[in-house]
Amino acid sequence: MYDGGLHYNNGRPGQDEHFRGRVSHFPQELQFGNASIIIRNTTVADSGDYTCDFPHLQPEQRFCIKLVVELTLKDRSGEIPGAAPKPFVGILNISEDEALLKCEVRGASPKPKVEWRDSDGNILPAEEPQVSRTGERYDITLLTTVTRTNSSLFHCVATQEEMGHVTRDQIDVRYCEKTSEVKSRYGVGVLIGLWFSGVAATLALSVAAKCIRKHKKASQRNQRDDPSKEACNGDASLTDCLTSQL
């Protein structure tokens, strides 16, 4: 509102609080018919239909414009107070086929939206967020269970749309290797070695020996934990050794 030199920025009452301190015009341009305004620090909430009225003109004139403010999300950590810091991600539990992932976002204001996403950006199902609040600051923990898929890369994303802020971190999940196949070959090699002789026995023992070399470090650790496996040292026969390991 401008009327005879009086406007919202020099004492005129009635301005909407949403726009206070953010709107200005061009005083020197009014005499040339330029009644434009500038809206600073725009937000998505500023989007809408605006009108410019000249009530003293005959006939009265009105001009309309539609303002669309698009949200530009980017990492504004350190630029805006309360912007969520980079999430902390980790693995709580992991097996051959699935893993339990944890994401923590601390000290954010306003409350951010936290999501787990896969490498294609798809939102993953997750547990109910654990939310705690200290004053105006929020701490949020989000858990999700992921399964073995073609992708092992997952992202935790924290978004505060009010300030156009988004931050994320990622984790590469390496599932535990399956051991049943190795144990099966190991057992077959021993059985063949016990029941056949000659070339067949030599081949079976060769396979078993490869398994022993492959798992040498693991066997040494097992021997330290289980004294009964010390039979594999010294003068013990290969059959005794294999039987002890099984």
Side-chain angles (χ1 to χ4, degrees):
M1 173 65 74
Y2 178 96
D3 187 8
L6 188 63
H7 51 84
Y8 291 137
N9 290 339
N10 67 1
R12 185 180 184 90
Q15 186 180 29
D16 191 311
E17 288 295 330
H18 176 74
F19 292 100
R20 185 175 298 279
R22 298 196 297 125
V23 181
S24 61
H25 67 293
F26 303 88
Q28 305 303 322
E29 295 293 321
L30 290 177
Q31 59 181 322
F32 304 112
N34 183 0
S36 302
I37 62 172
I38 296 177
I39 304 176
R40 292 182 170 82
N41 301 322
T42 52
T43 66
V44 175
D46 292 327
S47 298
D49 296 320
Y50 290 78
T51 60
C52 180
D53 295 294
F54 295 90
H56 299 314
L57 293 181
Q58 296 297 328
E60 181 179 342
Q61 295 187 33
R62 169 174 290 190
F63 302 91
C64 301
I65 186 171
K66 184 177 183 66
L67 175 65
V68 178
V69 181
E70 296 182 348
L71 182 65
T72 302
L73 291 175
K74 67 176 184 178
D75 192 342
R76 304 176 190 272
S77 300
E79 298 179 9
I80 303 177
K86 185 177 182 179
F88 170 79
V89 296
I91 301 176
L92 293 183
N93 192 22
I94 191 168
S95 66
E96 296 176 355
D97 300 310
E98 64 179 27
L100 179 61
L101 307 183
K102 178 181 181 180
C103 175
E104 289 185 347
V105 178
R106 297 185 175 277
S109 179
K111 181 181 177 181
K113 177 175 65 176
V114 182
E115 298 170 325
W116 275 105
R117 298 181 184 177
D118 62 17
S119 57
D120 294 326
N122 301 311
I123 300 176
L124 302 176
E127 298 181 10
E128 189 70 20
Q130 304 170 22
V131 182
S132 62
R133 180 176 179 179
T134 303
E136 297 298 322
R137 302 281 180 162
Y138 290 86
D139 297 337
I140 298 178
T141 300
L142 186 65
L143 305 181
T144 187
T145 299
V146 297
T147 57
R148 185 187 290 268
T149 60
N150 293 331
S151 174
S152 61
L153 190 64
F154 301 94
H155 303 264
C156 179
V157 183
T159 307
Q160 293 166 297
E161 293 187 352
E162 301 89 337
M163 60 178 63
H165 171 61
V166 62
T167 183
R168 68 189 66 206
D169 199 7
Q170 66 184 35
I171 188 169
D172 192 6
V173 178
R174 300 298 181 182
Y175 298 92
C176 300
E177 293 297 330
K178 295 184 179 181
T179 57
S180 57
E181 184 179 355
V182 174
K183 291 181 179 179
S184 176
R185 291 200 305 269
Y186 188 86
V188 170
V190 173
L191 290 176
I192 293 176
L194 294 176
W195 285 99
F196 294 92
S197 61
V199 176
T202 303
L203 177 61
L205 293 175
S206 175
V207 173
K210 289 181 180 180
C211 291
I212 292 174
R213 286 196 298 270
K214 183 176 182 181
H215 297 285
K216 181 179 179 181
K217 292 184 179 181
S219 298
Q220 292 174 348
R221 289 195 298 269
N222 291 336
Q223 291 170 15
R224 289 196 297 269
D225 297 336
D226 188 353
S228 66
K229 295 183 180 179
E230 291 180 357
C232 293
N233 297 324
D235 299 329
S237 66
L238 178 59
T239 302
D240 291 338
C241 180
L242 294 175
T243 303
S244 175
Q245 290 293 341
L246 288 175

